[in-house]
């Protein structure tokens, strides 16, 4: 298939684009390089630098790359905390970017659309692990922007027959040998912990240890980025047959912040000093995904469900690239 990957120079997008290339698909990457890195784009993928908020750029993209069969839409502002400070970056920009993309996708009869969605749709879950049909209560403008895109897809299927999958990632983590997580500023737990092991930070600050969990720190469902990439490919290949779907993607196991730090101590051999700080606004105590429906319907089976494996794959990339893509 010919697949357009927006945000294909970013962390999850670049790794998925590389998996697509390796599986024999023709890949077009569109990215504004705001958080993405040119060096992360697989050399066999076509690369276009551009911004989805620019309607003319999106039109040109589809004129120059005819015959796109499917789209994976990773490009987005992605931080819950930032969205609480700058809501319009999310409620306006993420929504405009997605709308421009969908407008051209429908005009060019693209039949398959895979959306990067989020666990932040579930701020008040009724069950744990969280089922994909649990009630949606966006936890932030970020979550709301993804919910709006999910709703747009609902209508684009009704009106234009576009098949879609909404993939709600829980905590994407881990790296591959050639591509890894490199954000500026870095806010995610595992890369921050590894920066301590690399001597780039003195300590990790734990955002609160008074949550109602076993050790008082927040529990998250860490899922390897390569397993996420596989879920995207399975969804792309199957939605025409099975219909549009919403999947929560995680391993179904929760690990606390302290457990992550302990895994990193073991993997790196570094003491990784820590300090307990205040809670981070918007952090729920526990987020664990139920991925039963994608396992049953598409046979998705995470290959790297083990926390130590996930952390050690990240350590391999970060220790080989201590300054990320900048080298
Ligand atoms: N966290 C932390 N210290 C940090 C970064 C993150 O204690 O420096 C915690 C955070 O409160 C959350 C978990 O680690 O409970 C995972 O956070 P991350 O930002 O990686 O992902 P999120 O859960 O926000 O998607």
């Amino acid at each position: 298939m010919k697949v357009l990957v927006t945000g294909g120079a970013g962390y999850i997008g670049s790794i998925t684009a590389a998996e697509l290339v390796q599986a024999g698909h023709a890949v077009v990457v569109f990215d504004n390089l705001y958080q993405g890195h040119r060096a992360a784009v697989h050399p066999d993928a076509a690369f276009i630098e551009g911004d989805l908020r620019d309607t003319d750029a999106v039109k040109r993209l589809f004129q120059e790359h005819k015959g796109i069969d499917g789209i994976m839409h990773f490009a987005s502002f992605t931080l819950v905390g930032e969205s609480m400070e700058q809501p319009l970056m999310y409620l306006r920009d993420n929504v405009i970017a997605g709308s421009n993309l969908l407008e051209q996708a429908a005009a060019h009869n693209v039949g398959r659309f895979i959306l990067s969605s989020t666990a932040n749709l579930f701020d008040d879950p009724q069950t744990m692990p969280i089922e994909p049909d649990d009630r949606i209560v966006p936890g932030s403008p970020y979550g709301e922007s993804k919910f709006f895109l999910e709703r747009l897809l609902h209508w684009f299927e009704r009106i234009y027959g576009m098949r879609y999958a909404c993939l709600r990632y829980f905590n994407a983590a881990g790296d591959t040998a050639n591509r890894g997580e490199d954000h500026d500023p870095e806010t995610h737990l595992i890369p921050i912990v590894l920066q301590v092991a690399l001597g780039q930070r003195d300590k990790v600050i734990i955002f609160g240890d008074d949550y109602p969990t076993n050790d008082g720190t927040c529990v998250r469902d860490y899922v390897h980025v390569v397993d996420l990439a596989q879920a995207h490919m399975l969804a792309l290949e199957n939605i025409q047959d099975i219909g549009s779907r919403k999947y929560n993607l995680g391993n179904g196991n929760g690990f606390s912040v302290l457990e992550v730090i302990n895994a990193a101590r073991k993997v790196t051999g570094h003491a990784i000093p820590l300090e307990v700080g205040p809670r981070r606004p918007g952090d729920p105590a526990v987020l664990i995904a139920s991925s039963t429906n994608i396992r049953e319907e598409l046979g998705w089976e995470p290959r790297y469900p083990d926390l130590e494996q996930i952390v050690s794959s990240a350590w391999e990339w970060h220790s080989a690239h201590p300054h990320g893509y900048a080298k």
Side-chain angles (χ1 to χ4, degrees):
M1 273 187 247
K2 185 165 181 178
V3 186
L4 169 63
V5 181
T6 74
Y11 168 44
I12 309 173
S14 66
I15 288 172
T16 307
E19 296 279 322
L20 281 166
V21 169
Q22 275 151 28
H25 297 289
V27 175
V28 179
V29 167
F30 187 84
D31 197 300
N32 63 6
L33 300 183
Y34 170 71
Q35 281 285 349
H37 306 273
R38 180 65 184 88
V41 178
H42 192 287
D44 293 343
F47 175 69
I48 298 131
E49 185 174 345
D51 197 304
L52 290 171
R53 291 167 294 183
D54 175 352
T55 43
D56 290 336
V58 184
K59 273 187 196 156
R60 277 198 307 277
L61 163 67
F62 281 85
Q63 278 157 6
E64 285 163 20
H65 292 274
K66 303 264 186 225
I68 289 170
D69 301 295
I71 296 176
M72 293 188 181
H73 179 40
F74 296 91
S76 178
F77 295 116
T78 60
L79 299 175
V80 169
E82 182 179 62
S83 81
M84 297 295 282
E85 284 159 19
Q86 301 200 57
L88 287 177
M89 260 175 94
Y90 290 77
L91 294 168
R92 179 185 56 207
D93 292 35
N94 276 359
V95 171
I96 287 176
S99 307
N100 287 342
L101 178 62
L102 275 169
E103 182 178 31
Q104 292 306 313
H108 290 82
N109 299 313
V110 176
R112 302 161 198 246
F113 195 102
I114 314 295
L115 174 69
S116 301
S117 189
T118 173
N120 195 247
L121 299 186
F122 303 109
D123 200 39
D124 189 16
Q126 303 300 289
T127 56
M128 195 62 68
I130 303 171
E131 298 293 340
D133 60 357
D134 204 334
R135 77 170 178 199
I136 290 184
V137 180
S140 67
Y142 167 59
E144 189 81 57
S145 72
K146 293 292 184 176
F147 182 47
F148 190 74
L149 295 182
E150 291 202 359
R151 295 303 302 162
L152 272 177
L153 285 170
H154 166 82
W155 290 109
F156 270 60
E157 174 170 55
R158 282 270 296 268
I159 296 164
Y160 303 112
M162 186 185 292
R163 286 283 165 85
Y164 67 90
C166 300
L167 304 184
R168 288 91 167 247
Y169 315 153
F170 279 57
N171 285 64
D175 296 316
T176 64
N178 300 322
R179 292 176 182 81
E181 189 168 7
D182 177 8
H183 296 115
D184 186 19
E186 189 51 77
T187 62
H188 295 103
L189 179 63
I190 291 176
I192 284 178
V193 168
L194 297 181
Q195 284 174 355
V196 178
L198 285 168
Q200 296 171 349
R201 288 178 193 250
D202 296 341
K203 58 185 177 238
V204 187
I205 312 280
I206 295 187
F207 298 150
D209 68 350
D210 56 352
Y211 285 94
T213 59
N214 284 344
D215 62 25
T217 66
C218 287
V219 168
R220 294 287 181 273
D221 187 339
Y222 295 88
V223 54
H224 199 285
V225 62
V226 168
D227 290 324
L228 290 182
Q230 290 303 320
H232 283 78
M233 300 219 286
L234 285 169
L236 180 79
E237 284 156 11
N238 287 288
I239 47 176
Q240 282 292 359
D241 299 328
I242 66 166
S244 297
R245 286 292 189 276
K246 298 181 178 109
Y247 294 129
N248 291 353
L249 296 182
N251 286 304
N253 291 318
F255 293 99
S256 71
V257 174
L258 269 176
E259 285 173 319
V260 171
I261 295 170
N262 282 331
R265 285 174 170 152
K266 210 165 152 191
V267 165
T268 63
H270 190 284
I272 311 188
L274 57 82
E275 187 179 302
V276 177
R279 289 183 176 196
R280 184 172 67 177
D283 265 342
V286 181
L287 282 175
I288 301 172
S290 168
S291 304
T292 312
N293 64 338
I294 185 169
R295 287 171 185 263
E296 287 178 1
E297 292 174 4
L298 302 184
W300 183 62
E301 190 61 52
R303 280 187 279 168
Y304 309 101
D306 176 65
L307 179 64
E308 256 179 63
Q309 263 182 316
I310 292 175
V311 173
S312 94
S313 75
W315 178 236
E316 247 170 70
W317 191 79
H318 283 274
S319 47
H321 304 85
H323 302 290
Y325 289 98
K327 297 264 174 352

